[in-house]
Amino acid sequence: MPAPTALQRAPSALAIEQQDAPETIALPASPTLSPTTNDLDMNMDDDAQPLFAPEKPTTLRLKPEERKIRIPPHRMTPLKNSWPKIYPPLVEHLKLQVRMNLAKKAVELRTSPSTTDTGAIQKGADFLAAFTLGFDLDDAIALLRLDDLYIQSFEIKDVKTLSGEHLSRAVGRIAGKDGKTKFAIENASRTRIVLADSKVHILGGFKNLNVAREAVSAGEGLWEFEDGGGEDEGEILRDLELVVRCEDKRR
């Protein structure tokens, strides 16, 4: 008798896993941002570069300062004659308060609430100092408009010890006949020179001051020869022409 076969069940239907559909969550609408004042101030030009609004004027007030410039007696008369041309640059350009004190023979400077430049009073003092040294008014005004101008002063005795007639000849050698040598040095070195007794005052740029001083020292006799004197007028002019050519090539 054959063995009984195992009863087979009909395969049950597989349970199909149903995935839950994702729930949709309603998000609140994002608020629209209103343009701020900074966004309104900044615009874009054609080249996509930002253009910012101009900065508001500062309300910073400088500390009050005063400066007193002594005027030599021999410069009081030129100061009085040129006063209508001296105070306008100080008042209008530098916004300073200025007055001439005849009793103390000085010019007094003071900052005002309208002064915005921290170095205004120093520029004004340099301008008046240049005028008292003997520089022309137009040359002294250049100190107010340019920042790379300086004044260098020295005595002839600083270059070479001279006295008596030798000192007078050294001064005459610097000036030349009718001031020809001095004018040539000024034009070649782009400076201004004032000869006051045994003192020499030079106004110009930093490099130009060195060129002018070397030329003046050559005239005084710093570079000595067998006869013990300095270079003559022709040699000084030739040296200046060589220096000017070298400066032009460097530029």
Side-chain angles (χ1 to χ4, degrees):
M1 179 175 177
T5 58
L7 298 177
Q8 296 180 356
R9 290 182 180 180
S12 60
L14 297 177
I16 301 175
E17 297 179 359
Q18 297 181 356
Q19 297 180 354
D20 297 334
E23 298 180 357
T24 58
I25 301 175
L27 296 177
S30 59
T32 58
L33 299 177
S34 60
T36 60
T37 57
N38 295 334
D39 297 335
L40 295 176
D41 294 342
M42 183 179 67
N43 298 325
M44 304 294 288
D45 60 357
D46 297 338
D47 298 335
Q49 295 181 357
L51 297 177
F52 296 94
E55 185 180 1
K56 297 181 180 179
T58 180
T59 58
L60 179 64
R61 296 185 62 180
L62 302 178
K63 181 180 179 181
E65 296 184 51
E66 295 182 1
R67 195 73 58 88
K68 186 180 295 183
I69 295 89
R70 299 288 182 179
I71 307 298
H74 68 281
R75 296 297 295 173
M76 283 300 298
T77 301
L79 179 68
K80 294 178 183 179
N81 297 335
S82 303
W83 185 251
K85 297 181 180 179
I86 290 177
Y87 76 84
L90 297 173
V91 176
E92 298 174 2
H93 182 66
L94 297 180
K95 308 298 182 182
L96 296 175
Q97 296 178 355
V98 56
R99 72 175 180 179
M100 178 169 42
N101 194 332
L102 296 178
K104 297 182 179 180
K105 294 183 179 180
V107 177
E108 300 176 358
L109 300 176
R110 184 174 64 181
T111 57
S112 66
S114 301
T115 306
T116 57
D117 187 3
T118 56
I121 195 166
Q122 182 61 44
K123 291 181 180 180
D126 294 341
F127 162 65
L128 293 173
F131 181 79
T132 56
L133 290 177
F135 288 100
D136 188 57
L137 182 60
D138 295 334
D139 298 332
I141 290 178
L143 288 170
L144 302 178
R145 308 184 183 280
L146 301 177
D147 296 333
D148 56 348
L149 291 181
Y150 308 94
I151 299 177
Q152 184 177 13
S153 302
F154 62 94
E155 293 189 13
I156 295 178
K157 295 181 180 179
D158 297 339
V159 179
K160 185 178 180 181
T161 304
L162 299 172
S163 61
E165 296 181 356
H166 299 286
L167 180 61
S168 302
R169 282 196 295 268
V171 176
R173 196 180 297 118
I174 298 172
K177 185 178 180 180
D178 299 330
K180 182 179 179 181
T181 304
K182 185 175 79 74
F183 294 147
I185 296 175
E186 290 178 343
N187 296 332
S189 59
R190 297 181 179 87
T191 58
R192 291 294 180 266
I193 300 175
V194 172
L195 300 176
D197 197 10
S198 61
K199 295 182 179 179
V200 181
H201 309 290
I202 306 175
L203 170 65
F206 181 75
K207 293 183 179 180
N208 298 335
L209 288 177
N210 296 331
V211 175
R213 174 155 184 168
E214 289 182 0
V216 171
S217 301
E220 293 175 4
L222 178 61
W223 302 337
E224 295 185 353
F225 298 95
E226 295 179 357
D227 57 353
E231 294 186 2
D232 58 10
E233 181 179 339
E235 292 174 344
I236 294 175
L237 296 180
R238 284 194 296 271
D239 293 339
L240 283 174
E241 290 178 359
L242 179 60
V243 172
V244 172
R245 290 176 185 174
C246 294
E247 291 293 335
D248 293 340
K249 289 182 180 179
R250 291 177 183 177
R251 293 176 183 176

